[in-house]
Amino acid sequence: MSSNSLVLLACVAVAVVLVLGLFNMMRGGSANLSQKLMRLRVLLQFLAIIFIMGVVWWRSA
């Protein structure tokens, strides 16, 4: 799997979890589920940033 694919996959995962969390809040779903989805989003954003920075560092070396 190429580095571009990993970055794209990480960004798509963040977007999917964000949309699921927003959809749950807009329809008046469980607050507990919204909390878990937003925590998962923050974790995925952290991983996406790590992937992006790793790719930038790897390509500059």
Side-chain angles (χ1 to χ4, degrees):
M1 186 176 259
S2 73
S3 57
N4 287 341
S5 298
L6 283 176
V7 169
L8 181 62
L9 182 65
C11 291
V12 167
V14 169
V16 166
V17 172
L18 174 64
V19 168
L20 288 174
L22 289 173
F23 181 71
N24 184 57
M25 285 191 303
M26 287 172 38
R27 71 180 176 120
S30 168
N32 192 27
L33 178 60
S34 289
Q35 227 7 286
K36 288 180 182 180
L37 287 171
M38 291 303 117
R39 288 179 184 157
L40 178 60
R41 179 189 53 85
V42 170
L43 175 65
L44 290 174
Q45 281 179 325
F46 174 73
L47 292 175
I49 290 169
I50 296 297
F51 285 146
I52 292 167
M53 294 306 295
V55 168
V56 168
W57 176 77
W58 183 63
R59 288 189 179 176
S60 69

PDB file of all heavy atoms in Angstrom, residues 6-7 10-11 14 43-53:
ATOM      1  N   LEU A   6      -2.422   5.441   2.216  1.00  0.00           N
ATOM      2  CA  LEU A   6      -2.592   5.482   3.677  1.00  0.00           C
ATOM      3  C   LEU A   6      -3.132   6.835   4.132  1.00  0.00           C
ATOM      4  O   LEU A   6      -4.022   6.903   4.978  1.00  0.00           O
ATOM      5  CB  LEU A   6      -1.268   5.192   4.374  1.00  0.00           C
ATOM      6  CG  LEU A   6      -0.815   3.748   4.411  1.00  0.00           C
ATOM      7  CD1 LEU A   6       0.556   3.644   5.058  1.00  0.00           C
ATOM      8  CD2 LEU A   6      -1.807   2.892   5.164  1.00  0.00           C
ATOM      9  N   VAL A   7      -2.597   7.898   3.556  1.00  0.00           N
ATOM     10  CA  VAL A   7      -3.063   9.238   3.915  1.00  0.00           C
ATOM     11  C   VAL A   7      -4.519   9.414   3.503  1.00  0.00           C
ATOM     12  O   VAL A   7      -5.340   9.918   4.271  1.00  0.00           O
ATOM     13  CB  VAL A   7      -2.157  10.317   3.290  1.00  0.00           C
ATOM     14  CG1 VAL A   7      -2.772  11.695   3.427  1.00  0.00           C
ATOM     15  CG2 VAL A   7      -0.777  10.273   3.918  1.00  0.00           C
ATOM     16  N   ALA A  10      -6.789   7.413   5.813  1.00  0.00           N
ATOM     17  CA  ALA A  10      -6.917   8.057   7.124  1.00  0.00           C
ATOM     18  C   ALA A  10      -7.869   9.250   7.053  1.00  0.00           C
ATOM     19  O   ALA A  10      -8.724   9.428   7.930  1.00  0.00           O
ATOM     20  CB  ALA A  10      -5.541   8.492   7.630  1.00  0.00           C
ATOM     21  N   CYS A  11      -7.756  10.052   5.998  1.00  0.00           N
ATOM     22  CA  CYS A  11      -8.631  11.219   5.846  1.00  0.00           C
ATOM     23  C   CYS A  11     -10.086  10.808   5.616  1.00  0.00           C
ATOM     24  O   CYS A  11     -11.006  11.421   6.159  1.00  0.00           O
ATOM     25  CB  CYS A  11      -8.134  12.100   4.717  1.00  0.00           C
ATOM     26  SG  CYS A  11      -6.575  12.932   5.089  1.00  0.00           S
ATOM     27  N   VAL A  14     -11.613   9.693   8.922  1.00  0.00           N
ATOM     28  CA  VAL A  14     -11.982  10.851   9.746  1.00  0.00           C
ATOM     29  C   VAL A  14     -13.301  11.451   9.252  1.00  0.00           C
ATOM     30  O   VAL A  14     -14.194  11.746  10.043  1.00  0.00           O
ATOM     31  CB  VAL A  14     -10.862  11.918   9.734  1.00  0.00           C
ATOM     32  CG1 VAL A  14     -11.347  13.222  10.368  1.00  0.00           C
ATOM     33  CG2 VAL A  14      -9.630  11.404  10.447  1.00  0.00           C
ATOM     34  N   LEU A  43      -9.105  10.735  17.714  1.00  0.00           N
ATOM     35  CA  LEU A  43      -8.043   9.730  17.595  1.00  0.00           C
ATOM     36  C   LEU A  43      -7.648   9.534  16.133  1.00  0.00           C
ATOM     37  O   LEU A  43      -6.457   9.502  15.808  1.00  0.00           O
ATOM     38  CB  LEU A  43      -8.501   8.405  18.202  1.00  0.00           C
ATOM     39  CG  LEU A  43      -7.532   7.237  18.041  1.00  0.00           C
ATOM     40  CD1 LEU A  43      -6.253   7.501  18.812  1.00  0.00           C
ATOM     41  CD2 LEU A  43      -8.179   5.948  18.470  1.00  0.00           C
ATOM     42  N   LEU A  44      -8.631   9.429  15.248  1.00  0.00           N
ATOM     43  CA  LEU A  44      -8.338   9.248  13.829  1.00  0.00           C
ATOM     44  C   LEU A  44      -7.650  10.477  13.236  1.00  0.00           C
ATOM     45  O   LEU A  44      -6.778  10.344  12.376  1.00  0.00           O
ATOM     46  CB  LEU A  44      -9.620   8.919  13.062  1.00  0.00           C
ATOM     47  CG  LEU A  44     -10.213   7.535  13.331  1.00  0.00           C
ATOM     48  CD1 LEU A  44     -11.557   7.395  12.630  1.00  0.00           C
ATOM     49  CD2 LEU A  44      -9.267   6.437  12.911  1.00  0.00           C
ATOM     50  N   GLN A  45      -8.025  11.662  13.690  1.00  0.00           N
ATOM     51  CA  GLN A  45      -7.345  12.867  13.223  1.00  0.00           C
ATOM     52  C   GLN A  45      -5.884  12.854  13.655  1.00  0.00           C
ATOM     53  O   GLN A  45      -5.000  13.227  12.882  1.00  0.00           O
ATOM     54  CB  GLN A  45      -8.017  14.122  13.774  1.00  0.00           C
ATOM     55  CG  GLN A  45      -9.257  14.512  13.039  1.00  0.00           C
ATOM     56  CD  GLN A  45      -9.904  15.743  13.631  1.00  0.00           C
ATOM     57  OE1 GLN A  45      -9.881  15.959  14.841  1.00  0.00           O
ATOM     58  NE2 GLN A  45     -10.499  16.547  12.784  1.00  0.00           N
ATOM     59  N   PHE A  46      -5.622  12.422  14.860  1.00  0.00           N
ATOM     60  CA  PHE A  46      -4.250  12.320  15.350  1.00  0.00           C
ATOM     61  C   PHE A  46      -3.446  11.356  14.483  1.00  0.00           C
ATOM     62  O   PHE A  46      -2.331  11.673  14.059  1.00  0.00           O
ATOM     63  CB  PHE A  46      -4.241  11.860  16.819  1.00  0.00           C
ATOM     64  CG  PHE A  46      -2.864  11.584  17.349  1.00  0.00           C
ATOM     65  CD1 PHE A  46      -2.009  12.631  17.633  1.00  0.00           C
ATOM     66  CD2 PHE A  46      -2.441  10.287  17.575  1.00  0.00           C
ATOM     67  CE1 PHE A  46      -0.727  12.387  18.117  1.00  0.00           C
ATOM     68  CE2 PHE A  46      -1.179  10.036  18.058  1.00  0.00           C
ATOM     69  CZ  PHE A  46      -0.321  11.090  18.340  1.00  0.00           C
ATOM     70  N   LEU A  47      -4.032  10.197  14.182  1.00  0.00           N
ATOM     71  CA  LEU A  47      -3.343   9.219  13.341  1.00  0.00           C
ATOM     72  C   LEU A  47      -3.130   9.754  11.926  1.00  0.00           C
ATOM     73  O   LEU A  47      -2.072   9.534  11.323  1.00  0.00           O
ATOM     74  CB  LEU A  47      -4.123   7.908  13.315  1.00  0.00           C
ATOM     75  CG  LEU A  47      -4.175   7.132  14.625  1.00  0.00           C
ATOM     76  CD1 LEU A  47      -5.072   5.924  14.490  1.00  0.00           C
ATOM     77  CD2 LEU A  47      -2.777   6.730  15.064  1.00  0.00           C
ATOM     78  N   ALA A  48      -4.112  10.463  11.392  1.00  0.00           N
ATOM     79  CA  ALA A  48      -3.979  11.038  10.058  1.00  0.00           C
ATOM     80  C   ALA A  48      -2.841  12.058  10.019  1.00  0.00           C
ATOM     81  O   ALA A  48      -2.051  12.082   9.069  1.00  0.00           O
ATOM     82  CB  ALA A  48      -5.292  11.682   9.627  1.00  0.00           C
ATOM     83  N   ILE A  49      -2.734  12.874  11.042  1.00  0.00           N
ATOM     84  CA  ILE A  49      -1.643  13.851  11.104  1.00  0.00           C
ATOM     85  C   ILE A  49      -0.296  13.147  11.186  1.00  0.00           C
ATOM     86  O   ILE A  49       0.672  13.552  10.523  1.00  0.00           O
ATOM     87  CB  ILE A  49      -1.846  14.820  12.284  1.00  0.00           C
ATOM     88  CG1 ILE A  49      -3.030  15.735  11.994  1.00  0.00           C
ATOM     89  CG2 ILE A  49      -0.593  15.641  12.555  1.00  0.00           C
ATOM     90  CD1 ILE A  49      -3.484  16.559  13.172  1.00  0.00           C
ATOM     91  N   ILE A  50      -0.220  12.078  11.976  1.00  0.00           N
ATOM     92  CA  ILE A  50       1.022  11.301  12.076  1.00  0.00           C
ATOM     93  C   ILE A  50       1.387  10.727  10.707  1.00  0.00           C
ATOM     94  O   ILE A  50       2.551  10.807  10.282  1.00  0.00           O
ATOM     95  CB  ILE A  50       0.886  10.179  13.125  1.00  0.00           C
ATOM     96  CG1 ILE A  50       0.681  10.768  14.520  1.00  0.00           C
ATOM     97  CG2 ILE A  50       2.091   9.249  13.088  1.00  0.00           C
ATOM     98  CD1 ILE A  50       1.829  11.588  15.031  1.00  0.00           C
ATOM     99  N   PHE A  51       0.420  10.157   9.988  1.00  0.00           N
ATOM    100  CA  PHE A  51       0.678   9.615   8.649  1.00  0.00           C
ATOM    101  C   PHE A  51       1.157  10.705   7.703  1.00  0.00           C
ATOM    102  O   PHE A  51       2.118  10.525   6.963  1.00  0.00           O
ATOM    103  CB  PHE A  51      -0.568   8.948   8.066  1.00  0.00           C
ATOM    104  CG  PHE A  51      -0.896   7.608   8.654  1.00  0.00           C
ATOM    105  CD1 PHE A  51      -2.219   7.219   8.784  1.00  0.00           C
ATOM    106  CD2 PHE A  51       0.080   6.723   9.068  1.00  0.00           C
ATOM    107  CE1 PHE A  51      -2.552   5.983   9.311  1.00  0.00           C
ATOM    108  CE2 PHE A  51      -0.232   5.493   9.602  1.00  0.00           C
ATOM    109  CZ  PHE A  51      -1.555   5.122   9.726  1.00  0.00           C
ATOM    110  N   ILE A  52       0.470  11.842   7.710  1.00  0.00           N
ATOM    111  CA  ILE A  52       0.819  12.933   6.803  1.00  0.00           C
ATOM    112  C   ILE A  52       2.225  13.444   7.099  1.00  0.00           C
ATOM    113  O   ILE A  52       3.043  13.628   6.184  1.00  0.00           O
ATOM    114  CB  ILE A  52      -0.220  14.069   6.889  1.00  0.00           C
ATOM    115  CG1 ILE A  52      -1.558  13.594   6.318  1.00  0.00           C
ATOM    116  CG2 ILE A  52       0.272  15.323   6.170  1.00  0.00           C
ATOM    117  CD1 ILE A  52      -2.722  14.507   6.636  1.00  0.00           C
ATOM    118  N   MET A  53       2.536  13.663   8.365  1.00  0.00           N
ATOM    119  CA  MET A  53       3.868  14.142   8.728  1.00  0.00           C
ATOM    120  C   MET A  53       4.937  13.107   8.394  1.00  0.00           C
ATOM    121  O   MET A  53       6.039  13.450   7.970  1.00  0.00           O
ATOM    122  CB  MET A  53       3.920  14.516  10.213  1.00  0.00           C
ATOM    123  CG  MET A  53       3.047  15.697  10.573  1.00  0.00           C
ATOM    124  SD  MET A  53       3.352  17.168   9.576  1.00  0.00           S
ATOM    125  CE  MET A  53       5.003  17.566  10.054  1.00  0.00           C
TER     126      MET A  53
END
